[in-house]
Amino acid sequence: MVQVTFRSRISSMGHDKYGDPKYAIYVPKAVHDKIKGMLDKEVFIIVILPDDE
């Protein structure tokens, strides 16, 4: 199992052709090398909202 942790924001990317909302998670440049092997693979995303928000 590979686990990568980073801080990011979830952004709205409009809607798909069926009208469903699309979202994106910004991946910081410092993390790019760690996730190269994850492209086109199914991953689990856990979202934690920090108390300082």
Side-chain angles (χ1 to χ4, degrees):
M1 181 171 91
V2 176
Q3 181 175 335
V4 179
T5 305
F6 57 91
R7 191 174 182 124
S8 187
R9 295 189 182 271
I10 299 174
S11 303
S12 175
M13 296 295 291
H15 295 82
D16 65 12
K17 65 181 180 180
Y18 303 108
D20 295 323
K22 295 188 324 180
Y23 301 99
I25 298 173
Y26 169 75
V27 178
K29 193 176 235 181
V31 181
H32 284 190
D33 289 336
K34 293 180 182 179
I35 66 162
K36 280 184 181 178
M38 297 180 192
L39 295 175
D40 295 327
K41 294 188 179 180
E42 183 176 10
V43 297
F44 292 99
I45 306 295
I46 299 171
V47 178
I48 300 170
L49 185 60
D51 288 337
D52 63 349
E53 293 292 319

